[in-house]
């Protein structure tokens, strides 16, 4: 997304991942002795990257390039690799500004994400006036020519950008590219693979952060279909444009994990969060933790360097202020990256209680969060006659339960049994600054 595409902040997310108590601790902390002192180096400790979007016309700004060179290890061209920039006239390709960004990044030892090969927006005028077979062929030629030109220089391509509609349909966006046939996305991915076989191929979109949203489900079904049929897709990009009224959803980790379970990498590709101070920092913290909790979340890219460089400058959404100073959000992100673990992922344990089988499975999922506590839910499958053990870590303590008969083996270990309310039960944990998820295990009674 860019200035032209982002005329409104189209983020329709619900709930929150505000981690206030933990956030306050992180904001006041300095990096531990021996910890990495930059975002890129800190992310590399867990095998991830931390990148930013770059504009060619700002590379002469010494403050801008100083932060870029110091902090980030992945670069995305903000506008310079899009269709209108790279093929302003049909068959006439222009790479000057894109090359400036790519060469600057590679000379500094950074990798590059290519953004974007095919998109309904920011098309050159000649393409906007095309349709049908002529448009399809022109799109495929564009993908082939641009990906071939940068072959071997790009870590991952956003092959197709924003092809799904907002709202409740979960279907494709109506666009000139969509009207060439529903297989246009698949065709673009196959062309990209042929042109640049060493690059990861990604689908990228916004408003796909909340697992319950129809748009998220629509993209999920497409990726699932592509993987089942061998269409070459390696990753899914989540743009992650948030604001204080529409924060990070509580099921954000679930979204990332479910896509990763399809066999693709997940990447946070255009992160910015409007706001300031501790509230903004806590939201950034939550996103970073969610990525670290998913093994196939390979990196995070923020959409700009300083607040004044942002398409949402009035919302001060980035990690550095207009003077290039580190904000509270920077510190919260750096500390989470240095911690290296983030939120503990859900634990699912299956235990068989007799030689003939009859095991059960307990699956944990997160619920609502508040400053001092959070809810957890456990769903049991395989039997109606179960015993689930829930273990929390100090200083956490369980203060309430529902839909179960509970007893305590110790202050940190609860035993839950059915009480006639079904096979899903819940509890509330006072976290004491420890937001890690409990572990759960199940056995047949």
């Amino acid at each position: 997304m860019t200035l032209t595409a982002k005329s409104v902040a189209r983020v329709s997310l619900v709930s929150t991942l505000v981690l206030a108590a933990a956030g306050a601790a992180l904001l006041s902390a300095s990096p531990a002795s021996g910890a990495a002192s930059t975002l890129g180096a800190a992310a590399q400790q867990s095998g991830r990257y931390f990148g930013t979007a770059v504009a060619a016309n700002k590379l002469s700004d010494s403050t801008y390039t100083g932060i870029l060179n110091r902090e980030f290890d992945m670069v995305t061209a903000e506008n310079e690799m899009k269709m209108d920039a790279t093929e302003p006239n049909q068959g006439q390709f222009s790479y000057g500004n894109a090359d400036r960004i790519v060469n600057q990044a590679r000379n500094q030892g950074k990798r590059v994400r290519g953004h974007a090969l095919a998109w309904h927006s920011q098309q050159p005028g000649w393409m906007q006036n095309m349709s049908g077979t002529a448009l399809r062929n022109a799109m495929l030629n564009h993908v082939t020519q641009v990906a071939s030109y940068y072959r071997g220089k790009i870590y991952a391509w956003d092959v197709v950008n924003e092809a799904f509609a907002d709202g409740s349909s979960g279907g494709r966006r109506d666009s000139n590219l969509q009207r060439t046939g529903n297989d246009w996305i698949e065709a673009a991915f196959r062309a990209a693979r042929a042109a640049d076989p060493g690059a990861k191929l990604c689908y990228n979109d916004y408003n796909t952060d909340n697992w319950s949203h129809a748009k998220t489900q629509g993209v999920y079904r497409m990726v699932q279909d592509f993987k089942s049929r061998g269409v070459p897709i390696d990753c899914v990009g989540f743009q992650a444009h948030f604001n204080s009224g529409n924060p990070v959803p509580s099921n954000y980790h679930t979204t990332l994990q479910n896509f990763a379970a399809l066999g693709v990498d997940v990447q946070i590709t255009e992160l910015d969060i409007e706001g300031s101070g501790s509230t903004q920092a806590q939201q950034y913290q939550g996103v970073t933790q969610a990525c670290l909790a998913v093994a196939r979340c390979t990196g995070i890219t923020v959409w700009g360097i300083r607040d004044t460089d942002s398409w949402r400058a009035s919302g001060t959404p980035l990690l550095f202020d207009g003077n290039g100073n580190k904000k509270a959000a920077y510190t919260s992100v750096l500390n989470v990256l240095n911690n290296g673990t983030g939120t503990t992922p859900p634990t699912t344990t299956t235990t068989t209680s007799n030689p003939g089988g009859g095991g059960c499975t307990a699956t944990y999922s997160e619920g609502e969060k508040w400053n001092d506590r959070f809810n957890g839910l456990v769903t049991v499958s395989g039997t109606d006659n179960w015993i689930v053990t829930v273990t929390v870590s100090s200083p956490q303590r369980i203060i309430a339960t529902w839909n179960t008969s509970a007893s305590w083996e110790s202050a940190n270990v609860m035993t839950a049994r059915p009480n006639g309310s079904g096979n899903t039960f819940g509890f509330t944990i006072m976290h004491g600054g420890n937001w890690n998820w409990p572990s759960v295990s199940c056995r047949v009674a």
Side-chain angles (χ1 to χ4, degrees), residues 113-376:
R113 294 191 80 260
H115 176 79
L117 292 173
W119 190 21
H120 73 277
S121 186
Q122 285 189 247
Q123 294 177 1
W126 63 265
M127 182 175 280
Q128 296 173 28
N129 296 324
M130 298 179 74
S131 62
T133 301
L135 175 60
R136 171 68 69 93
N137 290 339
M139 180 272 291
L140 293 176
N141 182 64
H142 179 89
V143 170
T144 298
Q145 295 299 323
V146 176
S148 295
Y149 178 84
Y150 286 110
R151 181 171 178 163
K153 296 182 178 181
I154 302 298
Y155 161 72
W157 282 107
D158 288 333
V159 178
V160 172
N161 199 44
E162 301 177 5
F164 277 75
D166 294 311
S168 60
S169 73
R172 300 281 185 88
R173 176 192 300 275
D174 179 40
S175 69
N176 60 350
L177 291 172
Q178 179 63 30
R179 290 190 294 272
T180 69
N182 201 54
D183 64 337
W184 77 272
I185 299 178
E186 175 179 345
F189 272 84
R190 293 192 184 280
R193 174 67 85 224
D196 192 1
K200 291 183 177 292
L201 306 183
C202 305
Y203 175 79
N204 190 57
D205 216 326
Y206 68 94
N207 272 5
T208 53
D209 310 284
N210 192 313
W211 177 244
S212 67
H213 283 181
K215 185 174 183 179
T216 307
Q217 293 298 311
V219 175
Y220 179 86
R221 289 190 296 270
M222 180 191 73
V223 177
Q224 187 177 44
D225 171 61
F226 280 12
K227 294 299 290 185
S228 71
R229 295 190 295 110
V231 178
I233 184 170
D234 305 304
C235 40
V236 177
F238 298 84
Q239 292 183 13
H241 298 292
F242 301 119
N243 58 46
S244 59
N246 300 285
V248 186
S250 63
N251 60 16
Y252 191 56
H253 167 271
T254 300
T255 302
L256 298 180
Q257 184 61 61
N258 286 347
F259 274 89
L262 294 177
V264 294
D265 292 343
V266 292
Q267 301 171 0
I268 298 168
T269 56
E270 303 184 18
L271 176 63
D272 52 23
I273 304 175
E274 291 187 339
S276 62
S278 61
T279 299
Q280 181 186 50
Q282 290 152 11
Q283 292 283 301
Y284 265 104
Q285 176 186 327
V287 171
T288 308
Q289 287 177 320
C291 180
L292 289 178
V294 176
R296 294 198 69 155
C297 183
T298 54
I300 298 171
T301 295
V302 288
W303 204 246
I305 295 176
R306 301 166 301 194
D307 285 335
T308 47
D309 303 318
S310 171
W311 68 282
R312 308 166 82 186
S314 63
T316 61
L318 296 174
L319 301 178
F320 297 85
D321 67 21
N323 295 317
N325 300 311
K326 299 171 183 176
K327 296 165 58 177
Y330 172 95
T331 304
S332 71
V333 170
L334 182 65
N335 287 338
V336 172
L337 293 172
N338 273 319
N339 187 47
T341 55
T343 304
T344 303
T347 301
T348 301
T349 304
T350 302
T351 304
T352 301
S353 65
N354 60 74
C360 65
T361 301
T363 304
Y364 176 83
S365 60
E366 61 183 4
E368 293 181 275
K369 292 183 173 71
W370 298 271
N371 288 354
D372 59 347
R373 69 196 72 190
F374 62 90
N375 286 345

